[in-house]
Short mmCIF file of all heavy atoms in Angstrom, two decimals:
data_model
loop_
_atom_site.label_atom_id
_atom_site.label_comp_id
_atom_site.label_asym_id
_atom_site.label_seq_id
_atom_site.Cartn_x
_atom_site.Cartn_y
_atom_site.Cartn_z
N MET A 1 6.15 3.62 -17.02
CA MET A 1 5.22 3.48 -15.83
C MET A 1 5.78 4.28 -14.63
O MET A 1 6.99 4.06 -14.34
CB MET A 1 4.99 2.03 -15.52
CG MET A 1 4.10 1.84 -14.42
SD MET A 1 3.56 0.05 -14.16
CE MET A 1 5.05 -0.70 -13.65
N ASN A 2 4.98 5.12 -14.17
CA ASN A 2 5.30 5.96 -13.05
C ASN A 2 4.43 5.70 -11.84
O ASN A 2 3.29 5.31 -12.06
CB ASN A 2 5.23 7.46 -13.37
CG ASN A 2 6.17 7.84 -14.44
OD1 ASN A 2 7.28 7.24 -14.58
ND2 ASN A 2 5.73 8.76 -15.35
N THR A 3 4.97 5.84 -10.67
CA THR A 3 4.20 5.53 -9.50
C THR A 3 3.99 6.98 -8.76
O THR A 3 5.04 7.60 -8.52
CB THR A 3 4.86 4.62 -8.49
OG1 THR A 3 5.00 3.38 -9.24
CG2 THR A 3 4.02 4.23 -7.33
N LEU A 4 2.73 7.32 -8.36
CA LEU A 4 2.51 8.49 -7.62
C LEU A 4 2.00 8.13 -6.24
O LEU A 4 1.34 7.10 -6.02
CB LEU A 4 1.43 9.33 -8.25
CG LEU A 4 1.72 9.83 -9.71
CD1 LEU A 4 0.41 10.45 -10.30
CD2 LEU A 4 2.80 10.76 -9.65
N VAL A 5 2.35 8.96 -5.28
CA VAL A 5 1.84 8.74 -3.93
C VAL A 5 1.08 9.87 -3.48
O VAL A 5 1.67 11.07 -3.42
CB VAL A 5 2.96 8.38 -2.86
CG1 VAL A 5 2.45 8.25 -1.50
CG2 VAL A 5 3.74 7.22 -3.27
N ILE A 6 -0.17 9.79 -3.27
CA ILE A 6 -1.03 10.93 -2.87
C ILE A 6 -1.88 10.37 -1.68
O ILE A 6 -2.60 9.43 -1.61
CB ILE A 6 -1.99 11.26 -3.94
CG1 ILE A 6 -1.29 11.73 -5.17
CG2 ILE A 6 -2.99 12.49 -3.54
CD1 ILE A 6 -2.15 11.97 -6.40
N ASP A 7 -1.65 11.11 -0.51
CA ASP A 7 -2.44 10.85 0.70
C ASP A 7 -2.15 9.42 1.17
O ASP A 7 -3.05 8.61 1.43
CB ASP A 7 -3.88 11.00 0.58
CG ASP A 7 -4.27 12.53 0.42
OD1 ASP A 7 -3.45 13.29 0.87
OD2 ASP A 7 -5.28 12.81 -0.17
N ASN A 8 -0.89 8.95 1.05
CA ASN A 8 -0.46 7.70 1.43
C ASN A 8 -1.00 6.50 0.76
O ASN A 8 -1.10 5.31 1.09
CB ASN A 8 -0.69 7.31 2.98
CG ASN A 8 0.16 8.35 3.76
OD1 ASN A 8 1.34 8.65 3.43
ND2 ASN A 8 -0.32 8.64 5.05
N LYS A 9 -1.53 6.80 -0.59
CA LYS A 9 -2.08 5.86 -1.42
C LYS A 9 -1.21 5.87 -2.73
O LYS A 9 -0.77 6.94 -3.26
CB LYS A 9 -3.53 6.09 -1.85
CG LYS A 9 -4.50 6.03 -0.65
CD LYS A 9 -5.89 6.20 -1.15
CE LYS A 9 -6.79 6.16 -0.01
NZ LYS A 9 -8.22 6.45 -0.44
N SER A 10 -0.79 4.69 -3.31
CA SER A 10 0.00 4.56 -4.48
C SER A 10 -0.92 4.47 -5.65
O SER A 10 -1.83 3.71 -5.77
CB SER A 10 0.95 3.36 -4.33
OG SER A 10 1.87 3.54 -3.38
N TYR A 11 -0.58 5.13 -6.70
CA TYR A 11 -1.17 5.12 -7.95
C TYR A 11 -0.14 4.92 -9.05
O TYR A 11 0.97 5.39 -9.02
CB TYR A 11 -1.90 6.52 -8.27
CG TYR A 11 -2.98 6.84 -7.21
CD1 TYR A 11 -2.76 7.59 -6.12
CD2 TYR A 11 -4.26 6.32 -7.41
CE1 TYR A 11 -3.75 7.92 -5.23
CE2 TYR A 11 -5.27 6.61 -6.52
CZ TYR A 11 -5.04 7.37 -5.42
OH TYR A 11 -5.92 7.59 -4.45
N VAL A 12 -0.57 4.24 -10.16
CA VAL A 12 0.38 3.82 -11.22
C VAL A 12 -0.18 4.54 -12.46
O VAL A 12 -1.35 4.58 -12.80
CB VAL A 12 0.46 2.34 -11.48
CG1 VAL A 12 1.25 1.99 -12.58
CG2 VAL A 12 0.97 1.64 -10.17
N VAL A 13 0.75 5.24 -13.14
CA VAL A 13 0.47 5.97 -14.37
C VAL A 13 0.93 5.12 -15.55
O VAL A 13 2.20 4.80 -15.61
CB VAL A 13 1.10 7.43 -14.41
CG1 VAL A 13 0.69 8.06 -15.77
CG2 VAL A 13 0.54 8.17 -13.23
N LEU A 14 0.07 4.72 -16.49
CA LEU A 14 0.43 3.88 -17.59
C LEU A 14 0.23 4.55 -18.92
O LEU A 14 -0.78 5.38 -19.11
CB LEU A 14 -0.43 2.56 -17.63
CG LEU A 14 -0.25 1.60 -16.47
CD1 LEU A 14 -1.28 0.56 -16.68
CD2 LEU A 14 1.06 1.02 -16.53
N PRO A 15 0.92 4.26 -19.91
CA PRO A 15 0.53 4.79 -21.30
C PRO A 15 -0.82 4.15 -21.72
O PRO A 15 -1.19 3.09 -21.25
CB PRO A 15 1.60 4.20 -22.20
CG PRO A 15 2.81 3.94 -21.31
CD PRO A 15 2.25 3.50 -19.96
N VAL A 16 -1.60 4.85 -22.54
CA VAL A 16 -2.97 4.39 -23.02
C VAL A 16 -2.78 2.99 -23.61
O VAL A 16 -3.76 2.17 -23.28
CB VAL A 16 -3.53 5.39 -23.90
CG1 VAL A 16 -4.89 4.94 -24.53
CG2 VAL A 16 -3.68 6.76 -23.23
N GLU A 17 -1.81 2.74 -24.48
CA GLU A 17 -1.68 1.48 -25.09
C GLU A 17 -1.61 0.25 -24.14
O GLU A 17 -2.29 -0.72 -24.31
CB GLU A 17 -0.49 1.43 -26.06
CG GLU A 17 -0.62 2.41 -27.17
CD GLU A 17 -0.17 3.83 -26.78
OE1 GLU A 17 0.66 3.93 -25.82
OE2 GLU A 17 -0.54 4.82 -27.49
N ASN A 18 -0.77 0.44 -23.10
CA ASN A 18 -0.65 -0.55 -22.14
C ASN A 18 -1.88 -0.73 -21.31
O ASN A 18 -2.27 -1.88 -20.96
CB ASN A 18 0.47 -0.24 -21.15
CG ASN A 18 1.81 -0.30 -21.79
OD1 ASN A 18 2.06 -0.55 -22.93
ND2 ASN A 18 2.88 0.21 -21.06
N TYR A 19 -2.62 0.35 -21.06
CA TYR A 19 -3.89 0.21 -20.25
C TYR A 19 -4.89 -0.48 -21.07
O TYR A 19 -5.58 -1.36 -20.46
CB TYR A 19 -4.40 1.68 -19.89
CG TYR A 19 -5.64 1.63 -19.10
CD1 TYR A 19 -5.77 1.25 -17.87
CD2 TYR A 19 -6.87 2.10 -19.79
CE1 TYR A 19 -6.96 1.19 -17.17
CE2 TYR A 19 -8.03 2.09 -19.14
CZ TYR A 19 -8.08 1.66 -17.86
OH TYR A 19 -9.29 1.61 -17.17
N GLU A 20 -5.02 -0.25 -22.36
CA GLU A 20 -5.93 -0.93 -23.18
C GLU A 20 -5.65 -2.41 -23.32
O GLU A 20 -6.57 -3.24 -23.32
CB GLU A 20 -6.19 -0.24 -24.44
CG GLU A 20 -6.66 1.10 -24.49
CD GLU A 20 -6.73 1.92 -25.78
OE1 GLU A 20 -5.93 1.39 -26.67
OE2 GLU A 20 -7.37 2.97 -25.93
N ALA A 21 -4.44 -2.75 -23.44
CA ALA A 21 -3.95 -4.15 -23.48
C ALA A 21 -4.29 -4.83 -22.18
O ALA A 21 -4.78 -6.05 -22.25
CB ALA A 21 -2.48 -4.22 -23.88
N LEU A 22 -4.13 -4.24 -21.12
CA LEU A 22 -4.43 -4.79 -19.85
C LEU A 22 -5.93 -4.99 -19.68
O LEU A 22 -6.36 -6.03 -19.19
CB LEU A 22 -3.89 -3.87 -18.75
CG LEU A 22 -4.09 -4.33 -17.29
CD1 LEU A 22 -3.17 -5.57 -17.09
CD2 LEU A 22 -3.59 -3.27 -16.33
N GLN A 23 -6.74 -4.03 -20.17
CA GLN A 23 -8.20 -4.23 -20.11
C GLN A 23 -8.66 -5.42 -20.99
O GLN A 23 -9.41 -6.23 -20.57
CB GLN A 23 -8.90 -3.05 -20.62
CG GLN A 23 -9.06 -1.90 -19.63
CD GLN A 23 -9.89 -0.80 -20.13
OE1 GLN A 23 -9.69 -0.39 -21.29
NE2 GLN A 23 -10.68 -0.16 -19.26
N LYS A 24 -8.06 -5.52 -22.10
CA LYS A 24 -8.47 -6.72 -23.05
C LYS A 24 -8.10 -8.04 -22.45
O LYS A 24 -8.90 -8.98 -22.46
CB LYS A 24 -7.69 -6.66 -24.35
CG LYS A 24 -8.20 -5.49 -25.32
CD LYS A 24 -7.47 -5.40 -26.61
CE LYS A 24 -7.93 -4.28 -27.49
NZ LYS A 24 -7.10 -4.15 -28.65
N ARG A 25 -6.83 -8.07 -21.84
CA ARG A 25 -6.41 -9.30 -21.14
C ARG A 25 -7.37 -9.74 -20.03
O ARG A 25 -7.79 -10.86 -19.83
CB ARG A 25 -5.06 -9.18 -20.68
CG ARG A 25 -4.38 -10.55 -20.29
CD ARG A 25 -2.91 -10.47 -19.94
NE ARG A 25 -2.17 -9.20 -20.54
CZ ARG A 25 -1.13 -8.78 -19.88
NH1 ARG A 25 -0.59 -9.23 -18.90
NH2 ARG A 25 -0.56 -7.74 -20.48
N ALA A 26 -7.81 -8.64 -19.26
CA ALA A 26 -8.67 -8.92 -18.11
C ALA A 26 -10.11 -9.28 -18.64
O ALA A 26 -10.80 -10.14 -18.02
CB ALA A 26 -8.84 -7.70 -17.22
N ALA A 27 -10.47 -8.72 -19.71
CA ALA A 27 -11.78 -9.16 -20.20
C ALA A 27 -11.84 -10.60 -20.74
O ALA A 27 -12.88 -11.35 -20.62
CB ALA A 27 -12.21 -8.16 -21.47
N LEU A 28 -10.79 -11.10 -21.37
CA LEU A 28 -10.69 -12.38 -21.79
C LEU A 28 -10.69 -13.49 -20.66
O LEU A 28 -11.18 -14.55 -20.89
CB LEU A 28 -9.42 -12.62 -22.60
CG LEU A 28 -9.30 -11.86 -24.01
CD1 LEU A 28 -8.01 -12.17 -24.63
CD2 LEU A 28 -10.44 -12.41 -24.91
N LYS A 29 -10.17 -12.94 -19.49
CA LYS A 29 -10.18 -13.93 -18.34
C LYS A 29 -11.55 -14.02 -17.58
O LYS A 29 -11.72 -14.84 -16.75
CB LYS A 29 -9.16 -13.53 -17.37
CG LYS A 29 -7.74 -13.91 -17.86
CD LYS A 29 -6.63 -13.62 -16.99
CE LYS A 29 -5.29 -13.85 -17.52
NZ LYS A 29 -4.25 -13.54 -16.52
N ALA A 30 -12.39 -13.01 -17.89
CA ALA A 30 -13.73 -12.93 -17.09
C ALA A 30 -14.54 -14.01 -17.60
O ALA A 30 -14.66 -14.34 -18.85
CB ALA A 30 -14.38 -11.64 -17.36
N ARG A 31 -15.25 -14.69 -16.74
CA ARG A 31 -16.25 -15.73 -17.13
C ARG A 31 -17.47 -15.25 -17.43
O ARG A 31 -18.00 -14.41 -16.68
CB ARG A 31 -16.40 -16.78 -15.96
CG ARG A 31 -15.06 -17.56 -15.61
CD ARG A 31 -15.41 -18.57 -14.53
NE ARG A 31 -14.21 -19.28 -14.19
CZ ARG A 31 -14.12 -20.17 -13.33
NH1 ARG A 31 -15.15 -20.37 -12.42
NH2 ARG A 31 -13.05 -20.81 -13.01
N PRO A 32 -18.22 -15.68 -18.48
CA PRO A 32 -19.53 -15.16 -18.80
C PRO A 32 -20.50 -15.80 -17.71
O PRO A 32 -20.27 -16.85 -17.19
CB PRO A 32 -19.87 -15.71 -20.18
CG PRO A 32 -18.88 -16.87 -20.28
CD PRO A 32 -17.73 -16.59 -19.48
N GLU A 33 -21.64 -15.06 -17.47
CA GLU A 33 -22.57 -15.55 -16.55
C GLU A 33 -23.27 -16.85 -17.15
O GLU A 33 -23.38 -16.96 -18.39
CB GLU A 33 -23.63 -14.46 -16.30
CG GLU A 33 -23.09 -13.32 -15.61
CD GLU A 33 -24.21 -12.33 -15.21
OE1 GLU A 33 -25.33 -12.64 -15.05
OE2 GLU A 33 -23.86 -11.18 -14.98
N LYS A 34 -23.63 -17.65 -16.32
CA LYS A 34 -24.27 -18.91 -16.61
C LYS A 34 -25.72 -18.71 -17.09
O LYS A 34 -26.46 -17.94 -16.34
CB LYS A 34 -24.33 -19.88 -15.47
CG LYS A 34 -24.98 -21.26 -15.75
CD LYS A 34 -25.07 -22.08 -14.53
CE LYS A 34 -25.85 -23.36 -14.96
NZ LYS A 34 -26.24 -24.03 -13.74
N LEU A 35 -26.09 -19.17 -18.22
CA LEU A 35 -27.42 -19.02 -18.70
C LEU A 35 -28.29 -20.21 -18.13
O LEU A 35 -27.82 -21.29 -18.04
CB LEU A 35 -27.48 -19.07 -20.26
CG LEU A 35 -26.87 -17.92 -20.99
CD1 LEU A 35 -26.95 -18.13 -22.42
CD2 LEU A 35 -27.56 -16.63 -20.67
N LEU A 36 -29.42 -19.77 -17.68
CA LEU A 36 -30.38 -20.78 -17.00
C LEU A 36 -31.30 -21.36 -18.08
O LEU A 36 -31.73 -20.64 -19.02
CB LEU A 36 -31.18 -20.14 -15.99
CG LEU A 36 -30.35 -19.49 -14.82
CD1 LEU A 36 -31.32 -18.83 -13.87
CD2 LEU A 36 -29.59 -20.56 -14.06
N SER A 37 -31.67 -22.66 -17.86
CA SER A 37 -32.67 -23.17 -18.79
C SER A 37 -34.08 -22.51 -18.39
O SER A 37 -34.10 -21.84 -17.35
CB SER A 37 -32.78 -24.59 -18.64
OG SER A 37 -33.18 -25.07 -17.39
N VAL A 38 -35.11 -22.71 -19.15
CA VAL A 38 -36.35 -22.23 -18.82
C VAL A 38 -36.87 -22.74 -17.45
O VAL A 38 -37.33 -21.94 -16.69
CB VAL A 38 -37.40 -22.50 -19.93
CG1 VAL A 38 -38.87 -22.05 -19.48
CG2 VAL A 38 -37.05 -21.91 -21.21
N GLU A 39 -36.67 -23.97 -17.20
CA GLU A 39 -37.14 -24.60 -15.87
C GLU A 39 -36.38 -24.02 -14.79
O GLU A 39 -36.92 -23.64 -13.74
CB GLU A 39 -37.00 -26.13 -15.95
CG GLU A 39 -37.87 -26.77 -16.91
CD GLU A 39 -37.37 -26.85 -18.34
OE1 GLU A 39 -36.22 -26.52 -18.55
OE2 GLU A 39 -38.18 -27.08 -19.32
N GLU A 40 -35.03 -23.89 -14.90
CA GLU A 40 -34.22 -23.35 -13.88
C GLU A 40 -34.57 -21.85 -13.63
O GLU A 40 -34.65 -21.38 -12.47
CB GLU A 40 -32.72 -23.34 -14.23
CG GLU A 40 -32.18 -24.82 -14.29
CD GLU A 40 -30.76 -24.88 -14.83
OE1 GLU A 40 -30.41 -23.89 -15.66
OE2 GLU A 40 -30.02 -25.75 -14.35
N ALA A 41 -34.82 -21.06 -14.73
CA ALA A 41 -35.24 -19.66 -14.59
C ALA A 41 -36.58 -19.60 -13.75
O ALA A 41 -36.74 -18.73 -12.93
CB ALA A 41 -35.34 -18.97 -15.90
N ARG A 42 -37.53 -20.45 -14.15
CA ARG A 42 -38.82 -20.33 -13.43
C ARG A 42 -38.64 -20.70 -11.94
O ARG A 42 -39.24 -20.01 -11.08
CB ARG A 42 -39.80 -21.36 -14.06
CG ARG A 42 -40.38 -20.91 -15.38
CD ARG A 42 -41.47 -21.83 -15.79
NE ARG A 42 -41.98 -21.35 -17.13
CZ ARG A 42 -42.18 -22.17 -18.20
NH1 ARG A 42 -42.09 -23.44 -17.99
NH2 ARG A 42 -42.72 -21.66 -19.27
N ALA A 43 -37.83 -21.69 -11.60
CA ALA A 43 -37.62 -22.04 -10.23
C ALA A 43 -36.93 -21.02 -9.48
O ALA A 43 -37.27 -20.62 -8.32
CB ALA A 43 -36.74 -23.28 -10.19
N HIS A 44 -35.99 -20.32 -10.14
CA HIS A 44 -35.28 -19.17 -9.49
C HIS A 44 -36.26 -18.00 -9.27
O HIS A 44 -36.10 -17.42 -8.17
CB HIS A 44 -34.11 -18.77 -10.40
CG HIS A 44 -33.35 -17.70 -9.85
ND1 HIS A 44 -32.51 -17.79 -8.70
CD2 HIS A 44 -33.12 -16.34 -10.20
CE1 HIS A 44 -31.90 -16.66 -8.44
NE2 HIS A 44 -32.31 -15.70 -9.31
N SER A 45 -37.04 -17.71 -10.28
CA SER A 45 -37.96 -16.62 -10.08
C SER A 45 -39.04 -16.89 -8.98
O SER A 45 -39.29 -15.98 -8.32
CB SER A 45 -38.68 -16.18 -11.47
OG SER A 45 -39.47 -17.29 -11.85
N LYS A 46 -39.40 -18.13 -8.96
CA LYS A 46 -40.36 -18.43 -7.82
C LYS A 46 -39.86 -18.30 -6.48
O LYS A 46 -40.32 -17.83 -5.59
CB LYS A 46 -41.03 -19.80 -8.02
CG LYS A 46 -42.01 -19.94 -9.22
CD LYS A 46 -42.44 -21.37 -9.34
CE LYS A 46 -43.42 -21.49 -10.53
NZ LYS A 46 -43.87 -22.85 -10.76
N LYS A 47 -38.55 -18.65 -6.43
CA LYS A 47 -37.87 -18.63 -5.12
C LYS A 47 -37.60 -17.16 -4.78
O LYS A 47 -37.80 -16.84 -3.63
CB LYS A 47 -36.37 -19.30 -5.35
CG LYS A 47 -35.49 -19.22 -4.16
CD LYS A 47 -34.14 -19.80 -4.45
CE LYS A 47 -33.21 -19.61 -3.38
NZ LYS A 47 -31.90 -20.07 -3.72
N MET A 48 -37.29 -16.37 -5.78
CA MET A 48 -37.09 -14.89 -5.36
C MET A 48 -38.41 -14.25 -4.99
O MET A 48 -38.45 -13.43 -4.11
CB MET A 48 -36.35 -14.15 -6.61
CG MET A 48 -35.08 -14.70 -6.93
SD MET A 48 -33.84 -14.60 -5.58
CE MET A 48 -33.72 -12.88 -5.33
N ILE A 49 -39.47 -14.57 -5.69
CA ILE A 49 -40.87 -14.03 -5.42
C ILE A 49 -41.21 -14.51 -3.94
O ILE A 49 -41.72 -13.67 -3.24
CB ILE A 49 -41.91 -14.52 -6.41
CG1 ILE A 49 -41.61 -13.80 -7.71
CG2 ILE A 49 -43.33 -14.15 -5.85
CD1 ILE A 49 -42.42 -14.35 -8.89
N LYS A 50 -41.00 -15.70 -3.57
CA LYS A 50 -41.25 -16.14 -2.18
C LYS A 50 -40.49 -15.40 -1.26
O LYS A 50 -40.97 -14.97 -0.11
CB LYS A 50 -41.08 -17.71 -2.10
CG LYS A 50 -42.03 -18.54 -2.87
CD LYS A 50 -41.85 -20.03 -2.68
CE LYS A 50 -42.88 -20.78 -3.51
NZ LYS A 50 -42.51 -22.27 -3.56
N LYS A 51 -39.20 -15.28 -1.50
CA LYS A 51 -38.35 -14.46 -0.56
C LYS A 51 -38.78 -13.04 -0.49
O LYS A 51 -38.82 -12.49 0.64
CB LYS A 51 -36.92 -14.50 -1.14
CG LYS A 51 -35.85 -13.89 -0.34
CD LYS A 51 -34.43 -13.90 -0.94
CE LYS A 51 -33.45 -13.25 -0.21
NZ LYS A 51 -32.13 -13.32 -0.80
N TRP A 52 -39.15 -12.41 -1.50
CA TRP A 52 -39.68 -11.05 -1.49
C TRP A 52 -41.01 -10.87 -0.79
O TRP A 52 -41.18 -10.07 0.11
CB TRP A 52 -39.89 -10.52 -2.93
CG TRP A 52 -40.54 -9.25 -3.06
CD1 TRP A 52 -39.89 -8.07 -2.75
CD2 TRP A 52 -41.78 -8.89 -3.43
NE1 TRP A 52 -40.79 -6.94 -3.05
CE2 TRP A 52 -42.03 -7.45 -3.38
CE3 TRP A 52 -42.98 -9.66 -3.74
CZ2 TRP A 52 -43.23 -6.81 -3.56
CZ3 TRP A 52 -44.15 -9.07 -4.00
CH2 TRP A 52 -44.33 -7.64 -3.90
N ALA A 53 -41.84 -11.89 -0.94
CA ALA A 53 -43.16 -11.96 -0.29
C ALA A 53 -42.96 -12.18 1.21
O ALA A 53 -43.71 -11.58 2.00
CB ALA A 53 -44.17 -13.01 -0.75
N ASP A 54 -42.05 -12.96 1.66
CA ASP A 54 -41.80 -13.18 3.08
C ASP A 54 -41.28 -11.99 3.73
O ASP A 54 -41.41 -11.72 4.92
CB ASP A 54 -40.89 -14.41 3.29
CG ASP A 54 -41.53 -15.70 2.94
OD1 ASP A 54 -42.76 -15.80 2.94
OD2 ASP A 54 -40.69 -16.70 2.61
N ALA A 55 -40.54 -11.24 3.00
CA ALA A 55 -39.87 -10.00 3.65
C ALA A 55 -40.94 -8.83 3.86
O ALA A 55 -40.74 -8.10 4.79
CB ALA A 55 -38.91 -9.34 2.61
N LYS A 56 -42.03 -8.97 3.16
CA LYS A 56 -43.19 -7.96 3.40
C LYS A 56 -43.93 -8.38 4.56
O LYS A 56 -44.30 -8.76 5.33
CB LYS A 56 -44.09 -7.83 2.24
CG LYS A 56 -43.46 -6.92 1.05
CD LYS A 56 -44.47 -6.57 0.17
CE LYS A 56 -43.93 -5.38 -0.65
NZ LYS A 56 -44.95 -4.80 -1.44
#
């Protein structure tokens, strides 16, 4: 791992294998988005439509 400084900004150079492993680890920690039930989705869409209509 090497560190480069360009225009007072630090950059890290990694081997491809380490970068891919880091991406996999980050992807595993990411939370999936919450799925809404049909009723919740309808309520959310009505709320967004009302918000959009008020803006016009």
Side-chain angles (χ1 to χ4, degrees):
M1 180 169 64
N2 297 326
T3 304
L4 299 174
V5 177
I6 301 173
D7 294 331
N8 293 330
K9 293 183 182 178
S10 295
Y11 298 93
V12 178
V13 180
L14 295 172
V16 174
E17 297 84 20
N18 292 356
Y19 178 71
E20 290 172 350
L22 187 62
Q23 280 186 319
K24 286 180 185 177
R25 195 175 336 155
L28 291 174
K29 289 184 180 180
R31 293 182 181 175
E33 292 185 24
K34 179 185 175 194
L35 292 178
L36 301 175
S37 67
V38 175
E39 294 81 18
E40 291 173 332
R42 283 187 182 140
H44 181 70
S45 63
K46 287 180 183 180
K47 178 182 170 186
M48 296 306 291
I49 290 170
K50 288 178 184 175
K51 182 179 177 181
W52 176 75
D54 289 341
K56 281 194 162 191

